[in-house]
């Protein structure tokens, strides 16, 4: 492991432990059922098996680098070195009594697919993601019992195709001025549609081909901001519902109910893609679990009939959001420092931002 990677995971784990220190004396493992899993998580190549073992955790969620397994997607062969790397990692953590929770993709994608057809903006990506998932289920599924198709796809889509701050860095005013172009008002919903159907493709493959033999579970992990009405008035309560609909229900409603939230349909109209009969057939294969990454809560106010703050993530939901009401933050800022020379952590802003 590179030195910088080890530093990042150490800092992440230490910051988490520091936040728990005030509660540590009141919480014991015996307070939880024997089946409860205490774990850590990293993305892509970062890992430190001995550190996790020393903490006494019994679960570890990590992501597989798609490019490491299939550098050219379905247009090239499987990279045996990539398969070997993850086999060794899975075997190593199992020897320590740590259960692997494997995420198929955490934002990264083979450049080949972006160059060939525009990645998540093209329905071809569904076949590529299905192929990638099939390879991983076949290579690692005899030992992996918990699969996550995507980590925070609602973040990846918004930042990649609305705000332009994550690859492939596509956006348009008022959200940004991206050199690669884009359409912040339409492309996020096309990309999300292909993510949802790629998930459906992978979950169908797992349930039809592998689950009965491997006896594992498969789900999705989403980013979730909670919203509270800024004012106790009907307009802000409805704005809160709209803001929430454009968060996790954007991805979960199609997987659970077969279509997007009605609030999104009403606002976006034709910008929101529709599901074909074949799409709906695939969506019948349901999630075994839902993962939630929750970092922060914000206030929401209605801006349906007044100017919404331009370029804000909730602009399409006709909601304006803020972390303060009458000059007071929605939560109490909590700060911890590693040592006298280190930078303090402001927990009110949320980790991972």
């Amino acid at each position: 492991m590179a030195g910088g990677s080890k530093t990042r995971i150490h800092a992440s784990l230490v910051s988490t432990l520091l936040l728990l220190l005030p509660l540590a004396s009141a919480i014991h493992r015996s307070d939880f059922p024997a089946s409860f899993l205490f774990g850590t998580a990293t993305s892509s190549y970062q890992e430190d098996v001995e550190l996790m073992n020393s903490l006494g955790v019994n679960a570890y969620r990590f992501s597989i680098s798609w490019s490491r397994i299939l550098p050219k997607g379905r247009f090239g062969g499987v990279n045996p070195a990539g398969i070997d790397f993850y086999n060794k990692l899975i075997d190593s953590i199992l020897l320590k009594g740590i259960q692997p929770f494997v995420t198929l993709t955490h934002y990264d994608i083979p450049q080949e697919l972006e160059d060939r057809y525009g990645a998540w903006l093209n329905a071809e990506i569904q076949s590529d993601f299905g192929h990638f998932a099939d390879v991983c289920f076949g290579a690692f599924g005899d030992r992996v019992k918990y699969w996550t198709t995507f980590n925070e796809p609602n973040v990846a889509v918004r930042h990649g195709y609305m705000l332009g701050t994550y690859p492939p860095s596509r956006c348009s005013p008022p959200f940004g001025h991206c050199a690669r172009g884009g359409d912040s008002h339409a492309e996020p919903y096309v990309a999300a549609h292909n993510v949802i159907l790629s998930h459906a493709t992978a979950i169908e493959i797992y349930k039809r081909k592998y689950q009965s033999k491997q006896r594992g579970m498969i789900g999705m992990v989403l980013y979730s901001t909670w919203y509270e009405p800024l004012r106790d008035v009907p307009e802000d309560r409805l704005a809160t519902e709209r803001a929430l609909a454009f968060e996790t229900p954007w991805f979960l409603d199609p997987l659970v109910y077969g279509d997007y939230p009605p609030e999104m349909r009403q606002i976006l109209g034709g910008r929101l893609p529709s599901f074909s009969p074949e799409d709906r057939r695939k969506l019948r294969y349901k999630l075994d679990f839902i993962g939630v990454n929750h970092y922060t809560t914000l206030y929401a106010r209605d801006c349906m009939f007044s100017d919404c703050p331009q370029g804000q993530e909730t602009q399409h939901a006709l909601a304006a959001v803020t972390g303060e009401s009458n000059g007071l933050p929605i939560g109490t800022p909590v700060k911890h420092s590693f040592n006298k020379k280190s930078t303090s952590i402001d927990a009110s802003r949320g980790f991972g931002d």
Side-chain angles (χ1 to χ4, degrees):
M1 175 191 294
S5 302
K6 181 170 287 190
T7 300
R8 284 193 296 273
I9 186 173
H10 275 258
S12 176
L13 289 168
V14 171
S15 65
T16 302
L17 291 173
L18 283 171
L19 284 175
L20 294 175
L21 280 178
L23 301 174
S25 61
I27 298 177
H28 304 279
R29 185 180 287 273
S30 59
D31 295 329
F32 297 84
S35 60
F36 193 91
L37 297 173
F38 292 86
T40 60
T42 61
S43 60
S44 195
Y45 62 88
Q46 304 167 24
E47 71 282 311
D48 192 320
V49 176
E50 292 303 325
L51 176 60
M52 289 187 289
N53 184 52
S54 69
L55 291 172
V57 301
N58 55 0
Y60 172 40
R61 185 163 78 91
F62 64 93
S63 66
I64 292 177
S65 171
W66 189 345
S67 301
R68 208 169 196 174
I69 302 297
L70 296 166
K72 293 186 177 295
R74 60 193 162 96
F75 304 101
V78 176
N79 174 25
I83 297 291
D84 184 57
F85 173 86
Y86 290 109
N87 271 327
K88 289 179 179 177
L89 173 59
I90 292 166
D91 290 343
S92 295
I93 64 175
L94 285 170
L95 283 173
K96 300 293 185 180
I98 300 172
Q99 188 74 240
F101 282 65
V102 177
T103 299
L104 287 173
T105 185
H106 188 150
Y107 303 169
D108 69 316
I109 187 171
Q111 185 64 39
E112 181 79 16
L113 310 186
E114 179 69 35
D115 295 340
R116 275 181 181 259
Y117 55 72
W120 297 112
L121 295 178
N122 194 306
E124 278 198 52
I125 195 71
Q126 299 169 34
S127 296
D128 260 298
F129 188 74
H131 176 58
F132 169 53
D134 200 353
V135 169
C136 291
F137 298 150
F140 314 122
D142 57 326
R143 289 149 293 157
V144 174
K145 304 306 175 187
Y146 300 94
W147 293 97
T148 295
T149 53
F150 292 88
N151 181 73
E152 298 183 344
N154 46 346
V155 172
V157 164
R158 279 199 301 251
H159 284 265
Y161 296 92
M162 180 185 290
L163 304 176
T165 53
Y166 289 3
S169 301
R170 297 181 62 83
C171 68
S172 63
F175 295 91
H177 298 271
C178 291
R180 301 193 65 185
D183 183 348
S184 297
H185 301 286
E187 287 188 354
Y189 305 106
V190 173
H193 197 71
N194 284 318
V195 167
I196 290 165
L197 291 174
S198 294
H199 163 89
T201 299
I203 208 168
E204 179 180 18
I205 291 170
Y206 187 70
K207 288 184 175 288
R208 294 185 63 180
K209 188 175 177 181
Y210 294 99
Q211 193 170 46
S212 62
K213 296 180 293 184
Q214 297 179 351
R215 300 187 179 279
M217 302 174 70
I218 188 166
M220 180 187 282
V221 174
L222 289 153
Y223 170 86
S224 176
T225 296
W226 185 254
Y227 298 100
E228 291 287 339
L230 180 62
R231 303 164 297 173
D232 188 18
V233 297
E235 294 83 359
D236 284 5
R237 288 195 289 271
L238 288 172
T240 298
E241 292 299 318
R242 293 195 301 271
L244 289 170
F246 278 71
E247 280 283 344
T248 53
W250 177 11
F251 285 78
L252 284 185
D253 272 25
L255 303 178
V256 176
Y257 303 116
D259 204 356
Y260 293 108
E263 295 90 343
M264 296 188 74
R265 285 272 177 221
Q266 291 165 6
I267 293 172
L268 297 175
R271 283 186 285 164
L272 199 59
S274 298
F275 294 104
S276 69
E278 171 60 16
D279 295 337
R280 294 183 187 279
R281 183 196 65 77
K282 291 199 295 185
L283 290 171
R284 291 202 301 263
Y285 291 91
K286 300 303 182 185
L287 297 146
D288 294 320
F289 64 87
I290 297 167
V292 176
N293 291 343
H294 175 67
Y295 298 96
T296 193
T297 298
L298 298 170
Y299 291 114
R301 68 167 176 84
D302 175 67
C303 61
M304 183 178 292
F305 300 109
S306 60
D307 291 335
C308 285
Q310 295 295 290
Q312 197 173 69
E313 290 181 39
T314 55
Q315 178 183 327
H316 291 169
L318 304 178
V321 298
T322 177
E324 295 185 352
S325 175
N326 298 320
L328 297 176
I330 194 169
T332 303
V334 179
K335 292 188 177 182
H336 294 280
S337 58
F338 296 126
N339 54 52
K340 295 180 180 178
K341 296 181 180 180
S342 69
T343 303
S344 62
I345 306 165
D346 186 348
S348 68
R349 298 183 60 189
F351 294 101
D353 293 346

